[in-house]
Amino acid sequence: MALRGAAILLGVAAPVVAQPTTQQAARPRVHVFATGGTISNLGNDQRRTGSELVDGIAGLRDMATITVEQFRNVPSGSITHDDWRRLAGRIRQLQQGPDAPAGYIITHGTDTMEETAYFLSLTVGGCEPVIVTGAMRQANWAGADGPSNLRNSVRVAIAPASRGRGAMVLMNDEIFAARDVTKSNTTRLSAFTAPDAGVLGLADPDTVVFHRPAPAACQPPRFDLSTIGPFPRVDVVYAHIGADSVSVDAFVNAGAKGVVVAGVGRGGTTPSMGRALRRATERGVTVVVSNRTGSGRVGMWSEPESLDSLPAGRGAMVGATDLNPQKARILLMLALAAHVEARALPELFNAR
Ligand code: GLU
């Protein structure tokens, strides 16, 4: 696993960045990557740009020097693995450049923002917070929440208390750690929750507060993308009464190197699916067992020592701890791409 070292930008095209005016130069700088989502959506295939979102909020440019990069402008289901690599690489590039921003904001569709936030939490590192935000209500709807979420994100991005906390999601005045957060409702303003760990902090009217201390030191990225090759195929299968071997076998035959199970309860499956998963490990596929309940842990299953004695070519089977299936998939994908040894997987999945 690559833990340290300079990250090199991976083939990123020259970005178009709106430059600050001279009056703005003394303020902390926040760099906004606009990617689309409901926060930008006006209906009828019309979308606001990131600059329009920023300029639409009175006083925002008095709070910070804000530079905006139109990264994409799409629903979040259209965000790709390549976007993730480019985004992480671009942040790493800005971190190491002159006039490095105090913090970063990603405006993003809410459906998959927990995935993007978690990916960035594993691949960016550094002291400067990365705030992923969006909106539950379209930009032109009454009571649209995008402007307050974006304004609060700027406040959190420049707050000294945010430093060293990595990637976070800000929605509905609440700040969540990327590992903990999930979208748990389709429409409510309060759609985002952290079922096990709870809210990390609040963007209250008077101040930004955190309920847990920041790490003692800023952390390097857990995975250095500059040293990691292409991501392998990793799929999620869903357990339910009557689930058979078809989905597992199909993914393995399609070339999956990892399979995550959204298991029942503490990670159970049906006998048929269970047999298919064991067959998959015999073909070298790593299986990570998560769960479909929405909260709680799936324990480690295997002691690291027992993973040492895996027969050659056999994939490990480990528990996802408290990672939901979509996040366990990201961690497994990065671990496989970085050639993390099987015996190191339990510690990796446990690490917070
Ligand atoms: N909630 C959708 C998303 O996550 C909204 C799509 C859109 O309006 O762009 O992207």
Side-chain angles (χ1 to χ4, degrees):
M1 175 171 38
L3 285 174
R4 285 165 213 282
I8 307 299
L9 187 62
L10 298 151
V12 175
V16 180
V17 179
Q19 293 303 317
T21 63
T22 44
Q23 298 95 308
Q24 294 172 325
R27 304 187 183 103
R29 177 178 166 210
V30 174
H31 192 76
V32 177
F33 295 94
T35 74
T38 299
I39 192 170
S40 70
N41 197 347
L42 297 166
N44 298 321
D45 288 332
Q46 303 291 307
R47 286 186 183 275
R48 288 204 173 123
T49 64
S51 294
E52 287 167 346
L53 293 177
V54 167
D55 291 335
I57 302 171
L60 198 66
R61 288 193 184 275
D62 297 328
M63 292 164 56
T65 296
I66 301 176
T67 43
V68 182
E69 190 166 331
Q70 193 66 46
F71 191 80
R72 297 205 57 192
N73 209 345
V74 294
S76 66
S78 298
I79 297 291
T80 65
H81 293 164
D82 184 55
D83 288 330
W84 283 351
R85 288 191 91 119
R86 288 197 304 119
L87 194 50
R90 179 81 182 112
I91 295 172
R92 296 282 287 160
Q93 181 190 44
L94 286 164
Q95 282 176 331
Q96 290 157 22
D99 184 29
Y104 302 87
I105 295 173
I106 324 285
T107 60
H108 198 288
T110 54
D111 294 352
T112 65
M113 67 165 47
E114 68 190 83
E115 293 177 56
T116 295
Y118 185 55
F119 180 86
L120 295 175
S121 78
L122 295 169
T123 55
V124 170
C127 293
E128 303 82 9
V130 177
I131 316 298
V132 186
T133 194
M136 295 300 295
R137 293 183 182 151
Q138 231 170 260
N140 54 344
W141 287 2
D145 52 329
S148 65
N149 287 338
L150 184 50
R151 184 174 182 280
N152 279 334
S153 295
V154 172
R155 296 174 59 221
V156 176
I158 62 176
S162 302
R163 287 180 70 77
R165 293 182 185 273
M168 296 172 268
V169 163
L170 186 143
M171 290 290 290
N172 200 35
D173 301 344
E174 295 179 323
I175 307 164
F176 301 92
R179 182 183 174 112
D180 305 333
V181 68
T182 194
K183 185 176 185 181
S184 54
N185 187 277
T186 53
T187 50
R188 299 276 84 80
L189 294 183
S190 57
F192 283 80
T193 57
D196 288 314
V199 168
L200 176 64
L202 299 169
D204 265 355
D206 57 330
T207 188
V208 170
V209 288
F210 287 94
H211 303 319
R212 302 196 282 275
C218 303
Q219 301 295 314
R222 190 159 287 156
F223 293 95
D224 179 352
L225 289 175
S226 69
T227 65
I228 291 179
F231 295 149
R233 180 176 185 113
V234 177
D235 291 291
V236 177
V237 296
Y238 204 90
H240 53 85
I241 289 177
D244 61 15
S245 59
V246 169
S247 58
V248 177
D249 288 345
F251 285 135
V252 173
N253 288 334
K257 298 290 179 268
V259 171
V260 174
V261 192
V264 293
R266 286 171 62 190
T269 59
T270 61
S272 174
M273 183 179 259
R275 283 192 295 274
L277 291 166
R278 277 189 295 280
R279 279 199 304 278
T281 62
E282 284 157 15
R283 291 172 65 180
V285 174
T286 304
V287 173
V288 172
V289 184
S290 179
N291 80 96
R292 64 175 209 183
T293 68
S295 65
R297 298 177 69 259
V298 175
M300 257 303 120
W301 291 42
S302 315
E303 295 301 322
E305 299 72 38
S306 72
L307 295 171
D308 269 344
S309 51
L310 276 182
R314 173 82 61 90
M317 188 179 289
V318 298
T321 70
D322 60 352
L323 288 173
N324 66 23
Q326 56 271 31
K327 289 190 191 157
R329 194 194 75 84
I330 294 168
L331 185 56
L332 179 56
M333 186 176 77
L334 284 165
L336 292 172
H339 305 294
V340 173
E341 292 172 5
R343 75 175 329 274
L345 291 174
E347 187 186 336
L348 180 67
F349 275 81
N350 264 317
R352 297 194 63 81

